[in-house]
């Protein structure tokens, strides 16, 4: 390839026929959609249609790196997993850190696309330009922590494993794909683990020793030293306390999920018991670094005594502590570390799992389900044993666990009555742990995100609190409760994050003082391609519109760009909290106009032509 930063090869695996072939990467696609999430979206759009069954053999499971993956660009150790989601039925995307993606690039491939279904469980072994399909019957039924050392012993001691646990094998719609063993990196959202399980694909193991070609090797090699100190200084709390360092701050702001988003008042003591500061003083034993990371926000925890003794590995992130913890009114940090490890071992998205269990607790409280439905479990707020047992039941598709494992949208449809009023999801994906009532641009971003309830697609809410991007007209963080301009802010940040998801660059780098100007310079030094800021943002816009076009094909429109009933009608109050209900209709109209979409939320033919998505 003329463009540097790419290997130029995609591995296509037909599991039904046990055949593999290598496709040369389309350089024009790489220019138009970059890599990672954007390039994977292009493959998904071309390979599927509205009749594609998310759990059928024809649905591709796409693992894709970006041009930054495997280089020395700071915080670039990421890859995307994309498919039609079995949880939501629409565009499915999950982003994950760790070291697997870098090893795939160094093994000689930019991505892997798996289709079909193997007759028997198998795993893929990809290394130094070679590949093998191997039997995994002996691994089926084992959890993700168990099989990591087994597969290293069968392949290479430095190999990296990405795998499903029992939840993926059972095709639970909220199943995750886990990587890096006990370090517990998760491609968690949208049920990508269920797609993998539907193909009888237990794991993919990668190891590579090659070097990713870049345009200016000397400049790229200097980046960690040039920017490491700045990133660590500016994002010091991420380094010291991980993502959960902000938990008590969010509680004080009124944006932490409490009691399935219905709690009235403050939860200060509970938040303090489970936040990152408390973790650092109690169970924290070390930090985890993804490939090329200088920050190390990942938590490593260990519990040696008490009922949860034996926990040893990845610690819970903010989203996990909030959705398994505060949303269920559980303030026992050690229990939440255990619950997190259970989810990692089973291969479950902690965010959707927490959202589903909180929904179940409220249904129990309201008398819509009883102990006969729960199998004797007292599914009450704050009940640690109920949380842990329900995680097991979801992973094993047992009893009420099978219903909740379908996600709160389908669970509320099955439960009926008034449960829709407290089903906290957007387009079938459970909400992240940031209350849209606290951020108006965040509300628009959540409502319009391609995969459903997602804060990372635009990270819009952070530009209402701490971040700025003067190169694209955001010179300072905007008042989070202001209305005017929030649709425009959401669209701009979605375009920016679309590029970061495609380059494969961790978004936490923005908290480290890295700007769009830095990123564009790095892009040139990696690929050799010159680009203006307008060019950069236009590609991000193209990527976002392609995902929207995919969803429009499946029937998505303005009717789906909404928030949960509770988020639009129930004001949150408490000491120091400003009650707010997002005026979503007004902001959506501004958003659609800025994007060049119709009032129905459909990209216009003129906009699609402008972006090169139609001729």
């Amino acid at each position: 390839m003329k463009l540097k930063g790419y290997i130029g090869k995609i591995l296509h695996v037909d599991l039904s026929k046990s055949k593999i072939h290598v496709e040369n990467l389309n350089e024009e696609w790489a220019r138009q959609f970059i890599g990672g999430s954007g390039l994977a979206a292009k493959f998904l759009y071309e390979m599927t249609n509205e009749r594609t069954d998310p759990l059928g053999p024809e649905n591709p499971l796409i693992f894709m790196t970006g041009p930054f993956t495997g280089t020395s660009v700071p915080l670039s150790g990421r890859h995307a997993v994309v498919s039609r989601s079995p949880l939501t039925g629409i565009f499915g995307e999950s982003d994950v850190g760790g070291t697997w993606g870098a090893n795939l690039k160094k093994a000689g491939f930019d991505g892997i696309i798996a289709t079909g279904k193997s007759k028997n469980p198998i795993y893929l072994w990809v290394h130094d330009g070679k590949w093998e399909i191997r039997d995994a019957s002996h691994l089926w039924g084992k959890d993700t922590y168990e099989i990591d050392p087994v597969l290293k012993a069968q392949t290479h001691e430095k190999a990296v494993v990405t795998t499903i646990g029992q939840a993926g094998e059972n095709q639970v719609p909220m199943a995750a794909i886990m990587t890096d063993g006990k370090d517990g990196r998760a491609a968690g959202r949208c049920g990508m683990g269920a797609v993998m399980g539907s193909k009888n694909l237990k794991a993919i193991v990668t190891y590579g020793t090659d070097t990713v070609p870049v345009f200016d090797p000397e400049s790229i090699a200097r980046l960690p030293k040039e920017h490491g100190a700045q990133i660590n200084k500016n994002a010091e709390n991420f380094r010291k306390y991980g993502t959960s360092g902000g938990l008590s701050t969010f509680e004080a702001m009124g944006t932490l999920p409490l009691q399935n988003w219905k709690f009235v008042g403050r939860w200060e003591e509970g938040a303090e018991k489970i936040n990152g500061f408390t973790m650092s003083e109690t169970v924290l034993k070390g930090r985890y670094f993804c490939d090329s990371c200088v920050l190390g926000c990942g938590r490593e925890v260990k519990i040696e005594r008490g009922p949860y003794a034996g926990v040893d590995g990845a610690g819970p992130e903010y989203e996990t502590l909030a959705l398994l913890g505060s949303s269920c009114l559980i303030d026992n940090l050690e229990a939440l570390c255990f619950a997190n490890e259970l989810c990692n071992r089973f291969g479950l998205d902690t965010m959707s799992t927490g959202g589903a269990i909180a929904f179940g607790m409220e249904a129990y409280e309201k008398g819509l389900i009883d102990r006969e439905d729960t199998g004797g479990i007292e599914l009450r707020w704050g009940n640690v044993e109920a949380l842990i047992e329900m995680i097991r039941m979801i992973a094993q598709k047992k009893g009420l666990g099978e219903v909740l494992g379908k996600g709160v949208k389908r669970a509320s449809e099955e439960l009926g009555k008034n449960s829709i009023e407290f089903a906290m999801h957007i387009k079938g994906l459970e909400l992240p742990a940031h209350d849209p009532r606290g951020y108006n641009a965040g509300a628009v971003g959540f409502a319009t995100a391609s995969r459903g309830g997602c804060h990372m697609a635009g990270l819009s809410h952070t530009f209402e609190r701490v971040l700025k991007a003067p190169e694209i007209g955001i010179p300072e963080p905007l008042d989070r409760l202001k209305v005017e301009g929030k649709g425009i802010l959401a669209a701009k940040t979605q375009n920016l994050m679309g590029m970061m998801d495609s380059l494969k660059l961790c978004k936490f780098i923005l908290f480290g003082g890295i700007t769009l100007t830095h990123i564009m310079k790095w892009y040139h030094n990696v690929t050799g391609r010159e680009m203006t800021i307008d060019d950069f943002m236009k590609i991000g816009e193209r990527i976002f519109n392609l995902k929207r076009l995919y969803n429009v094909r499946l029937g998505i429109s303005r009717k789906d760009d909404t928030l949960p009933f509770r988020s639009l009608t129930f004001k949150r109050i408490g000491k120091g909290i400003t009650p707010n209900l997002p005026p979503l209709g007004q902001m959506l109209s501004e958003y659609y106009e800025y994007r060049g979409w119709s009032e129905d939320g459909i990209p216009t033919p003129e906009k699609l032509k402008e972006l090169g998505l139609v001729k």
Side-chain angles (χ1 to χ4, degrees):
M1 290 186 70
K2 294 179 183 178
L3 282 178
K4 299 295 185 178
Y6 300 88
I7 305 301
K9 295 179 180 179
I10 304 292
L11 202 64
H12 283 264
V13 184
D14 184 335
L15 293 166
S16 295
K17 298 179 180 178
S18 297
K19 290 185 177 180
I20 298 178
H21 75 273
V22 177
E23 173 188 354
N24 290 330
L25 178 60
N26 184 317
E27 187 164 335
E28 185 58 28
W29 283 14
R31 291 179 183 275
Q32 290 180 316
F33 303 101
I34 304 298
S37 170
L39 188 57
K42 176 63 173 174
F43 275 106
L44 185 68
Y45 187 85
E46 298 296 335
M47 296 178 69
T48 62
N49 57 43
E50 62 274 15
R51 297 181 299 279
T52 301
D53 179 354
L55 295 177
E58 69 277 12
N59 190 27
L61 182 63
I62 304 167
F63 298 81
M64 196 64 64
T65 65
F68 285 4
T69 312
T71 73
S72 297
V73 171
L75 278 67
S76 61
R78 306 194 69 79
H79 66 276
V81 187
V82 170
S83 188
R84 185 173 181 183
S85 168
L87 179 64
T88 66
I90 59 174
F91 181 81
E93 171 183 358
S94 203
D95 196 84
V96 58
T99 60
W100 185 89
N103 269 275
L104 177 64
K105 280 276 285 284
K106 293 174 182 179
F109 304 96
D110 294 299
I112 296 175
I113 301 177
T115 56
K117 178 179 181 178
S118 174
K119 293 181 180 179
N120 301 301
I122 60 97
Y123 74 91
L124 298 179
W125 166 222
V126 182
H127 57 106
D128 289 327
K130 302 175 183 177
W131 57 86
E132 299 174 53
I133 297 176
R134 293 185 173 182
D135 179 66
S137 299
H138 60 299
L139 303 172
W140 207 253
K142 295 184 181 297
D143 71 42
T144 66
Y145 285 17
E146 287 179 292
I147 77 164
D148 190 72
V150 175
L151 286 179
K152 287 178 184 291
Q154 292 180 5
T155 55
H156 193 284
E157 62 181 358
K158 294 183 179 180
V160 186
V161 179
T162 194
T163 184
I164 55 173
Q166 296 94 325
E169 294 175 0
N170 292 330
Q171 299 175 40
V172 176
M174 55 180 65
I177 300 174
M178 305 299 299
T179 187
D180 285 53
K182 291 171 66 176
D183 289 317
R185 302 299 94 186
R189 309 245 68 193
C190 299
M192 298 295 100
V195 179
M196 196 162 166
S198 74
K199 298 183 180 305
N200 274 332
L201 176 59
K202 179 65 174 177
I204 305 176
V205 188
T206 62
Y207 176 66
T209 57
D210 207 350
T211 300
V212 177
V214 297
F215 177 72
D216 188 344
E218 293 182 1
S219 295
I220 295 299
R222 291 196 300 265
L223 292 182
K225 187 174 182 180
E226 288 179 352
H227 296 284
Q230 170 196 352
I231 293 169
N232 276 312
K233 179 181 178 181
N234 290 329
E236 183 178 21
N237 278 352
F238 279 100
R239 180 171 58 84
K240 286 184 175 181
Y241 307 114
T243 56
S244 57
L247 193 144
S248 288
T249 299
F250 298 142
E251 188 280 328
M253 289 171 58
T255 62
L256 179 73
L258 297 172
Q259 201 178 27
N260 197 33
W261 310 89
K262 76 163 185 170
F263 191 87
V264 175
R266 295 287 303 277
W267 200 64
E268 297 170 77
E269 292 184 8
E272 188 174 334
K273 289 179 181 179
I274 64 174
N275 67 22
F277 300 94
T278 300
M279 187 188 301
S280 69
E281 295 169 354
T282 55
V283 296
L284 187 70
K285 72 167 187 176
R287 293 185 292 144
Y288 174 79
F289 293 76
C290 298
D291 188 73
S292 295
C293 184
V294 297
L295 193 57
C297 73
R299 306 290 90 182
E300 294 180 353
V301 300
K302 189 171 186 176
I303 300 174
E304 296 181 310
R305 291 180 295 275
Y308 307 108
V311 170
D312 184 11
E317 304 287 345
Y318 164 74
E319 304 288 338
T320 301
L321 290 168
L323 291 163
L324 288 176
S326 63
S327 192
C328 297
L329 294 187
I330 289 174
D331 60 8
N332 184 324
L333 179 59
E334 291 193 352
L336 291 173
C337 289
F338 180 73
N340 177 70
E341 182 166 306
L342 268 186
C343 287
N344 287 350
R345 285 179 175 274
F346 284 132
L348 279 173
D349 175 18
T350 57
M351 295 169 68
S352 284
T353 301
I357 293 174
F359 169 83
M361 287 181 172
E362 185 160 355
Y364 190 87
E365 177 190 51
K366 293 183 182 308
L368 303 185
I369 55 176
D370 55 27
R371 291 188 63 178
E372 184 176 342
D373 299 304
T374 64
I377 297 171
E378 290 281 354
L379 196 59
R380 299 189 183 280
W381 304 114
N383 187 336
V384 169
E385 290 75 20
L387 173 78
I388 290 170
E389 186 57 32
M390 196 53 63
I391 289 172
R392 292 192 174 102
M393 290 175 68
I394 289 172
Q396 297 162 358
K397 292 180 79 170
K398 289 185 177 179
L400 182 64
E402 181 173 6
V403 177
L404 295 181
K406 297 175 182 178
V408 300
K409 179 178 185 291
R410 280 190 274 178
S412 69
E413 290 169 351
E414 291 190 20
L415 198 57
K417 301 179 183 178
N418 69 336
S419 62
I420 190 174
E421 294 182 4
F422 55 91
M424 304 300 289
H425 71 89
I426 298 171
K427 299 183 180 74
L429 185 64
E430 288 69 26
L431 259 64
H434 305 272
D435 198 324
R437 292 170 292 190
Y439 308 94
N440 281 335
V444 182
F446 289 10
T448 57
S450 301
R451 66 181 182 180
C454 173
H455 63 303
M456 298 301 286
L459 215 64
S460 311
H461 64 292
T462 61
F463 290 86
E464 298 178 282
R465 198 168 67 85
V466 293
L467 291 183
K468 55 187 178 180
E471 301 104 321
I472 59 173
I474 311 173
E476 297 294 338
L478 300 183
D479 179 349
R480 61 193 177 96
L481 300 184
K482 181 182 176 182
V483 175
E484 185 180 358
K486 291 305 181 66
I488 295 172
L489 174 63
K492 284 183 175 181
T493 58
Q494 285 172 340
N495 294 344
L496 173 58
M497 297 308 153
M499 279 297 285
M500 296 189 71
D501 285 335
S502 301
L503 292 166
K504 297 327 303 166
L505 188 60
C506 178
K507 293 164 188 174
F508 292 165
I509 202 168
L510 297 175
F511 296 91
I514 297 302
T515 67
L516 178 53
T517 301
H518 289 115
I519 296 169
M520 287 185 56
K521 182 179 179 182
W522 299 350
Y523 178 73
H524 169 70
N525 290 339
V526 167
T527 67
R529 183 183 179 187
E530 296 284 357
M531 189 185 295
T532 66
I533 287 177
D534 286 344
D535 294 333
F536 189 93
M537 294 299 289
K538 185 64 71 176
I539 296 174
E541 183 183 8
R542 179 184 300 125
I543 290 167
F544 193 88
N545 273 264
L546 177 65
K547 295 176 184 178
R548 182 67 173 196
L549 204 57
Y550 180 89
N551 281 341
V552 166
R553 188 164 67 181
L554 297 172
I556 295 296
S557 66
R558 184 173 188 141
K559 70 182 187 306
D560 305 289
D561 291 344
T562 190
L563 298 172
F565 186 80
R566 179 166 285 167
S567 302
L568 293 170
T569 61
F570 188 90
K571 285 186 178 180
R572 189 163 180 174
I573 60 175
K575 182 182 178 181
I577 299 172
T578 303
N580 178 60
L581 294 177
L584 189 60
Q586 178 183 342
M587 295 188 294
L588 274 182
S589 292
E590 180 186 70
Y591 174 89
Y592 293 153
E593 182 179 359
Y594 180 80
R595 281 221 172 272
W597 294 1
S598 72
E599 274 290 323
D600 294 325
I602 310 297
T604 62
E606 294 79 14
K607 173 55 67 174
L608 296 177
K609 187 173 183 180
E610 173 195 325
L611 295 173
L613 291 172
V614 297
K615 294 183 179 179

